[in-house]
Every structure is written in structure tokens, then in C-alpha cells.
Amino acid sequence: MTESTNDRRQKLDGLRGRISSAGSKNDLIDAIEDALGVSAPVGEPKVIEALGKRYTGQIDEADAVSDRIDKIARKGLPKVWVGDTSVLASDVVGAASRDAQQMIEAFQGGGKALIALSDALEKAQTKDGTGRGKLRDARTMLGGKDGFFDDWHEDDDEEELRLRARSLASHGVDDLHAAAVDADDAARVAARDLNKFAAEARAGQMDTDELAAADRLALADTSNVGGDAELNEILSANDLERSGRAMENLSPAERARMERLLANASSPQEKAYLMKALAAGYDVGEVEEFGGKIHGKDSAWLQEHLAPVTTGSATGQEEQKFGDEHWSQDDETCVPSSTVTARALVDPVYALELTGGPDGQDDNPDNFRKRLHDEQFRMNDEGDGEYDGWWWDRHAAGMDSDGQEEISDKELGPHTGDRYDTQEMDGADDRRGVMPEIEKSVAEGKPVPFNISRKDEDGNMHGHSLMIIGQEDGKLQIYNPWGTTTWVSEDDFINGDLSAATDDRYSKAHKGDVSRVYIEQN
């Protein structure tokens, strides 16, 4: 089985300590041979570089496509409808223009990512080769292993030889470790960027012939009002894939019914939310009922009632509210509260039940607060969460990892198509190793729950649950059930410092750490 880049990095870091502290010839020989047994950085830099150049070589053609679309847009279009669901031709051309621009960015960014990976890998392999030469020279200096009784005594000459060999081997394993770090970092950056570009090839995610290309393009391009359009797209990559598959699986009569719903929608946003409900696993009758509650509502109303998170920019911290009430926890319900909001992100029918009540029309923030409270405590019971206090003053007091995994599977899994698996984080290497899975999940629109811990001034441990809901340019968007979202660097996450998304109590000065991550598994 091939070692991962993170595995090599961890093994070689441990071997650095073994070699530098080896107190006998035989211990040193064993450590050197173990280091030589760790595989070198794998991959063909020239092949990767050629692939990167093929990507960048497509930019001119993509530019030409973009120019032709822009010329059509500048000429102006009559107010005509196209596609199976009555999309305005001008909207389709606008969506095509933005899609072409994303295609250019994907070719450019993907090509650069691959060329950068090729360069880093070539340098890492060279550095690794240099280090292996030093290790082999050190091994040759030491000769054969000492016998059982020989190993009991080391004269001055033997000690001097061992120390010289140990120094050379230390330099060699340092080179191997540095090469492994460089290769691992480069591979993670390339995987992050390529996964994101793949997820942003949005119209192609909806793999169905039951909707015209114009419909698929317009749906993939639709965003909520307020904030950056790209950061507030209604249909995630996962939504597009699941809704396309759902359309394929409908009977002809149900498909025609769904197409009528879409054609009668009063705005692109309304149409996108109908497809998001289908993606979340609801049947056409349930989507139709949901559609009746949102039909004719303007885009601002849809955003406020159906999107618990609105992102203004990819920096800093933002409050998330319905009216004047935050999407925030009551008592110690951080696990169920973050799960409630995560489900509302992927399930618009559920979001409307919280914000608008049974008929979807209740705009009172106080009533929203009560429904949110009740749902947090329902999930707390579902996950067998703890309670403190007497019956007249009973309050939630946390949930264990089994309960968290259970409610993630029950409340999120049916609407994303996956289940959750607990992964313990014992340090930066574990968090670094799981980062590509986190990036891929959130790029596809699948929230990732995780837990953090800290120590108080008395040495007592405390925990808190958060949710990763976005990723952009080396940063993660973190939802905190205190009612905020914050952009945190991936390096801070790897180092276990989530104080920017919480407060100083979770800084490294207070032993703040990321202790557990729940990753979706197909």
C-alpha cells in the first residue's frame, strides 16, 4: 500500500529523533535503514507539467468563447423564453458569460496548480535523493551490526565513528523530511485548488437530459441577493448532482409536473430553491407544497427565509440573523444547534419551517427563536444529550461523540446523500491529513462538523462544536452556533487555533485545540 504524503512526513519526523539520539551502533543502523525504507516522493513531474500546460493552453480558446458570448450580450436580446422551464434568453446568455469566465479561471488556475506541483515535486525528489545519498554513506561507514557482546562496549574510535555517521545521517534524514514536507504541502495545495475548480464546473454537475442545457446553465448560475454572488450560490455542486439524478429517476408524469413547477416559478431564485428541495430528497408532491409557500416571494424574502447564512465577503466575521434574532444556540446545545443550522443550509424545506412556521408565512423573529429553541432541544434528545439541574430548572449540558455522529447521520445524511464518520485529531499531522477531505466536502456543499477543546484556569477541559461550511483561497468558513460565521486560515485550523471564530479562551495560550472532525463518507 502506497504511503500518503502525510504518512511519509510523520514517519520521517519521528526518525529524525531516533537518528539524532541513537546511543549505539545497532540502534543507529536500524534507524537509518528504517529511514531508507520510507518511500521517496512519488509522481512524474514532467507528466504533471505537461498536463498543466495543456490546461493553460486552453485559455485562448476559452477566451474566444467568452468574447463571442459577450458580443451576443452587447447586441441585446428580445424578451423570449428558452429551455424546458421558461428561462429568459438574456438570463441564459448572462449565465453563459459568467460560466465562460469561470472556465477561463479554472483552466488558468488548474494549470498553474499543476505546474506549481510539478516544480515542487521535482525539487522535493532531488532533495530526497541527496538525503538518501547521505544516509547510504552513513550506513556504509558503520559496516555490519555488532554482535550481542560487542554492543556492550564501545571504544573511543568506535564512538567517534558512530558520532560522525550519526551526524551525516541526521543531515540526510533532515533532507528526506524537508522533501516530504515540501511534497505534502504542494500536493495539498494542488488538491485543494483542483477540487474547488472541479466543484465550480457547476452546470456540468447536473447530469440529466431531462432539462435543457439553458435550464441547467441558468440554475447553476443563480445566487441569493446580498453579498458576493459566487459565495452565495443557491445550488451547491452536490445539489446540482443530486437534483439532476432525481430528475432522471422521476416517472414521466412526475417529471412533467416538476417541469411545470419550474416553468411557473416567478424568479430564478424561486426556481433554484425548488430544485434544491428536490436535491434534499423530497418527492414532487412535497416540493409542490413547498413551492406554494414561496411562490411569488421576492429574492430578498427568499434569501432571509431559506438561507441561514449570507456571506458578504471571504474575510472576517459576520453575524447570521433572521430579523433581529441570531441563528444561535440556547444553553449548552452547540452540537445540536450547529447541526440545525447545517441542515437548514442543505434543506430549504426545513429552513422555511424554522423561519416561517407551518404555513411558511410567519415573519415574527420571536416565533422563529422559539421554533429554533425547540428544534435544538429535539435534536439534543435525539442524540441522547445530557441535562443538568432540577426538573424546574432543567437545561442542556452537552452531547458525546456518539450522539453527534448519530444526529449528523439522521439530520444531514438524508439531505446530502452521505453518512458521517468520526475521526479523532491527535495533533497537527492528523488535521493536516484530513484537510483534503474537508476541502472537497465543503467545495461540494457538504458541511463538516468538528469539535474544539480548551482548559480553564483550574485545569478543567471544556468543548465546543462548530461547522465548516465554506472554503476559499486557503481559508475555511466556520459557522459558530453563537450566531456568527468567520473565515479562518487553514494553517490556524491545522495548528488547532480557532480563537478567531470563538474567543481567546480557545487560543493556544489556553490549550485550545481541534479534537475531533466528522467527515462525510459515501
Side-chain angles (χ1 to χ4, degrees):
M1 181 178 177
T2 304
E3 296 167 314
S4 72
T5 56
N6 195 50
D7 288 339
R8 288 196 290 274
R9 180 178 186 151
Q10 291 184 62
K11 286 181 181 178
L12 289 166
D13 191 35
L15 285 163
R16 291 168 72 201
R18 280 181 59 193
I19 287 175
S20 65
S21 63
S24 72
K25 176 182 175 181
N26 287 355
D27 286 347
L28 182 56
I29 288 172
D30 287 341
I32 291 172
E33 291 179 347
D34 285 346
L36 289 169
V38 176
S39 60
V42 297
E44 296 290 339
K46 296 303 180 187
V47 174
I48 297 171
E49 181 184 25
L51 184 58
K53 287 180 177 178
R54 282 183 62 188
Y55 272 60
T56 55
Q58 300 299 314
I59 293 173
D60 288 342
E61 290 187 32
D63 266 328
V65 171
S66 180
D67 287 343
R68 290 197 295 273
I69 295 170
D70 287 345
K71 284 179 183 177
I72 294 171
R74 285 195 296 272
K75 286 180 180 178
L77 290 167
K79 190 174 181 179
V80 296
W81 301 91
V82 296
D84 298 324
T85 66
S86 301
V87 184
L88 270 176
S90 57
D91 289 344
V92 175
V93 172
S97 177
R98 288 183 288 274
D99 197 59
Q101 191 57 44
Q102 282 190 324
M103 180 170 60
I104 293 168
E105 292 171 4
F107 281 135
Q108 192 171 48
K112 285 175 62 178
L114 289 168
I115 291 170
L117 174 61
S118 168
D119 290 344
L121 182 58
E122 186 172 26
K123 291 174 183 176
Q125 289 175 340
T126 299
K127 189 179 293 184
D128 180 90
T130 301
R132 287 177 190 276
K134 294 174 184 176
L135 286 169
R136 292 189 187 101
D137 288 345
R139 178 66 186 86
T140 300
M141 288 170 61
L142 293 168
K145 277 190 171 184
D146 283 343
F148 179 76
F149 292 107
D150 294 331
D151 201 32
W152 283 13
H153 174 71
E154 182 180 56
D155 62 30
D156 290 344
D157 289 341
E158 290 171 333
E159 182 183 20
E160 190 268 339
L161 177 64
R162 174 177 60 81
L163 292 176
R164 281 195 295 115
R166 190 174 75 180
S167 176
L168 181 59
S170 290
H171 289 301
V173 76
D174 282 348
D175 286 343
L176 262 66
H177 178 256
V181 168
D182 291 345
D184 180 45
D185 288 346
R188 284 194 304 106
V189 169
R192 179 194 70 201
D193 292 347
L194 293 172
N195 279 331
K196 184 164 181 60
F197 288 129
E200 288 177 351
R202 296 173 52 73
Q205 303 283 348
M206 190 177 282
D207 187 15
T208 176
D209 295 328
E210 304 306 330
L211 290 175
D215 297 304
R216 300 196 299 272
L217 193 60
L219 283 165
D221 186 60
T222 304
S223 296
N224 276 312
V225 296
D228 186 305
E230 191 174 329
L231 298 175
N232 293 277
E233 289 158 336
I234 292 172
L235 290 162
S236 69
N238 190 52
D239 291 333
L240 290 163
E241 189 275 328
R242 280 172 59 84
S243 61
R245 183 157 23 100
M247 288 292 290
E248 289 284 311
N249 292 334
L250 293 176
S251 69
E254 292 292 272
R255 192 178 305 123
R257 189 178 169 192
M258 187 69 198
E259 288 176 359
R260 283 194 300 272
L261 275 174
L262 295 170
N264 292 329
S266 59
S267 69
Q269 286 80 11
E270 182 180 326
K271 191 174 297 187
Y273 274 116
L274 292 171
M275 287 301 283
K276 192 174 184 74
L278 187 68
Y282 293 96
D283 63 36
V284 175
E286 291 168 322
V287 174
E288 190 171 49
E289 181 182 356
F290 168 69
K293 296 175 182 179
I294 67 170
H295 184 60
K297 303 296 186 183
D298 63 34
S299 54
W301 188 97
L302 293 172
Q303 179 272 323
E304 184 175 29
H305 287 76
L306 305 181
V309 169
T310 296
T311 303
S313 70
T315 58
Q317 185 174 96
E318 297 174 289
E319 295 183 351
Q320 303 299 337
K321 294 181 175 182
F322 177 75
D324 58 2
E325 286 288 345
H326 287 85
W327 283 83
S328 59
Q329 70 186 74
D330 286 333
D331 293 343
E332 293 186 33
T333 60
C334 57
V335 172
S337 296
S338 57
T339 308
V340 167
T341 302
R343 179 174 167 185
L345 281 168
V346 299
D347 179 356
V349 178
Y350 178 75
L352 185 61
E353 290 172 356
L354 291 170
T355 58
D359 65 358
Q361 311 307 308
D362 182 0
D363 290 334
N364 189 323
D366 292 338
N367 294 340
F368 158 73
R369 181 78 245 172
K370 183 180 185 307
R371 287 189 291 269
L372 187 64
H373 170 94
D374 291 345
E375 190 61 8
Q376 291 168 358
F377 279 75
R378 180 190 70 79
M379 282 197 197
N380 195 64
D381 291 338
E382 181 178 63
D384 199 23
E386 297 180 6
Y387 286 91
D388 280 344
W390 299 100
W391 65 267
W392 62 85
D393 186 33
R394 195 164 175 256
H395 53 273
M399 183 181 294
D400 63 21
S401 61
D402 289 341
Q404 186 165 11
E405 187 172 336
E406 180 180 356
I407 65 171
S408 296
D409 282 340
K410 286 183 178 179
E411 300 293 340
L412 302 180
H415 308 289
T416 62
D418 295 330
R419 63 176 181 81
Y420 282 81
D421 182 50
T422 305
Q423 298 197 26
E424 300 292 337
M425 299 288 105
D426 291 327
D429 286 329
D430 286 345
R431 293 187 285 274
R432 186 180 297 109
V434 82
M435 185 59 70
E437 295 178 75
I438 292 174
E439 292 164 340
K440 185 174 186 297
S441 288
V442 296
E444 291 173 352
K446 303 173 184 178
V448 176
F450 72 101
N451 296 342
I452 58 177
S453 60
R454 66 176 176 88
K455 281 186 178 179
D456 64 20
E457 58 275 9
D458 297 321
N460 299 313
M461 293 299 297
H462 298 268
H464 189 50
S465 183
L466 306 165
M467 192 77 63
I468 305 171
I469 59 172
Q471 179 260 325
E472 190 81 20
D473 296 331
K475 300 187 293 291
L476 300 174
Q477 188 181 25
I478 309 295
Y479 167 73
N480 184 342
W482 296 347
T484 60
T485 53
T486 308
W487 291 94
V488 172
S489 75
E490 292 183 354
D491 285 341
D492 280 347
F493 180 88
I494 288 170
N495 293 327
D497 186 354
L498 271 294
S499 56
T502 51
D503 58 32
D504 187 59
R505 291 175 300 168
Y506 286 93
S507 68
K508 299 310 290 183
H510 294 85
K511 307 296 183 184
D513 213 353
V514 176
S515 56
R516 190 175 291 116
V517 174
Y518 298 82
I519 293 294
E520 287 192 298
Q521 307 291 318
N522 291 325

